[in-house]
């Protein structure tokens, strides 16, 4: 990665990019961070050398605190007609993060309220540290609503009732509560979260980038489309993958070696799958 950022550090190791929020004192999400996230998206949208992106923080107490009140206080007070509404800048950039061709993982250790929580929700996967991660959508208490995609993504993530409980209660909830409600993939002990996230990222990073992108697009499409259209999208993405990856070579090798009929192979498929990545 070549771009320099003001609110986070970016480091690429192999096919994994680690984005470390580093904007003292509490990683406030204002115009500088929005600008940086747009620059990051500019780079990642065309960079096939990166397959996985991990978002974390250098501050042990904060992932991303929340959106900058100095930015929010300048919102218009006059209601806008429905046909003239434009998506706000925070929602726009978080949608770009959500649509990145790479797999994105939020590693959350510290407070992630408001826009910080919405940043995590925009990632494909979320893992939070017990005793450290704290979440909240406080917007109703300020007189607005989650407007960085939080209301929309949370309903898709956890269902209507739980989404409304989180949004309308405006209460803190911890990693275990987040896991129970479904806003994160796993709650992990602080000494385990790094190991788990980086092992997962390293595994994903060994797979073809085009296959990762096709999987993401098919899964995201399934949320919004009727089942018939979603199945067509799956098939479309299937052929996008087979046209760009060594999939057919790998299936042919498996067929020629009678791979699938070996009981031992079936028992060890998770490990053997990685050896197939050598077939390019």
């Amino acid at each position: 990665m070549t771009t320099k950022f003001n609110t986070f550090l970016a480091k690429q190791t192999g096919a994994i990019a680690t984005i470390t929020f580093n904007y003292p004192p509490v990683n406030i999400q204002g115009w500088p961070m929005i600008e940086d996230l747009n620059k990051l998206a500019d780079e990642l949208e065309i960079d096939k050398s990166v397959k996985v992106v991990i978002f974390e923080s250098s501050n042990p107490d904060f992932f991303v605190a929340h959106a900058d009140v100095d930015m929010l206080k300048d919102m218009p007070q006059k209601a806008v007609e429905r046909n003239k509404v434009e998506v706000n800048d925070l929602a726009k950039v978080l949608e770009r993060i959500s649509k990145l061709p790479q797999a994105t993982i939020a590693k959350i250790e510290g407070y992630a309220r408001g826009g910080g929580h919405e940043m995590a929700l925009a990632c494909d996967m979320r893992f939070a540290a017990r005793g450290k991660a704290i979440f909240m959508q406080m917007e109703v208490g300020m007189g607005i609503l989650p407007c960085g995609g939080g209301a929309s993504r949370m309903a898709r993530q956890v269902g209507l009732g739980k989404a409304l409980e989180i949004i309308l209660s405006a209460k803190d909830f911890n990693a275990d509560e987040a896991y129970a409600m479904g806003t994160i993939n796993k709650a992990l002990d602080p000494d385990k979260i790094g190991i788990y996230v980086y092992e997962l990222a390293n595994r994903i990073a060994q797979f073809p980038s085009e296959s990762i992108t096709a999987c993401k697009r098919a899964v995201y499409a399934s949320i919004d489309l009727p089942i018939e259209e979603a199945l067509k999208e799956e098939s479309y993405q299937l052929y996008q993958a087979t046209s760009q990856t060594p999939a057919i070579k790998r299936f042919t090798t498996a067929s020629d070696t009678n791979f699938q009929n070996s009981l031992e192979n079936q028992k060890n498929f998770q490990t053997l799958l990685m050896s197939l990545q050598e077939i390019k």
Side-chain angles (χ1 to χ4, degrees), residues 7 23-33 63-69:
T7 60
Y23 193 46
V26 296
N27 293 337
I28 283 293
Q29 185 188 58
W31 292 120
M33 187 175 290
F63 176 67
V64 173
H66 51 72
D68 191 346
V69 295

Side-chain angles (χ1 to χ4, degrees), residues 25-65:
V26 296
N27 293 337
I28 283 293
Q29 185 188 58
W31 292 120
M33 187 175 290
I34 289 174
E35 182 179 350
D36 276 351
L37 288 171
N38 273 311
K39 289 179 182 177
L40 178 68
D42 287 340
E43 186 163 348
L44 290 174
E45 284 166 355
I46 59 174
D47 188 350
K48 288 195 173 184
S49 72
V50 177
K51 298 181 184 180
V52 184
V53 184
I54 299 170
F55 291 93
E56 60 180 20
S57 174
S58 63
N59 188 327
D61 296 318
F62 290 90
F63 176 67
V64 173

Side-chain angles (χ1 to χ4, degrees), residues 64-137:
V64 173
H66 51 72
D68 191 346
V69 295
D70 288 339
M71 176 177 68
L72 296 172
K73 71 180 176 61
D74 294 327
M75 289 190 298
Q77 289 184 290
K78 184 178 179 181
V80 179
E81 295 177 28
R82 186 180 294 275
N83 62 355
K84 295 181 180 178
V85 168
E86 294 184 3
V87 176
N88 67 75
D89 291 299
L90 176 58
K92 282 181 182 177
V93 73
L94 293 185
E95 179 67 355
R96 291 187 74 186
I97 297 300
S98 179
K99 288 184 174 179
L100 288 174
Q102 297 85 3
T104 55
I105 302 173
K107 175 173 168 273
I108 306 155
E109 301 169 277
Y111 290 99
R113 294 190 175 113
H117 188 215
E118 291 174 306
M119 173 70 218
L121 288 170
C123 294
D124 301 326
M125 292 163 273
R126 290 157 295 284
F127 301 92
R130 290 190 177 100
K132 298 182 72 177
I134 296 292
F135 305 95
M136 176 199 270
Q137 294 294 159

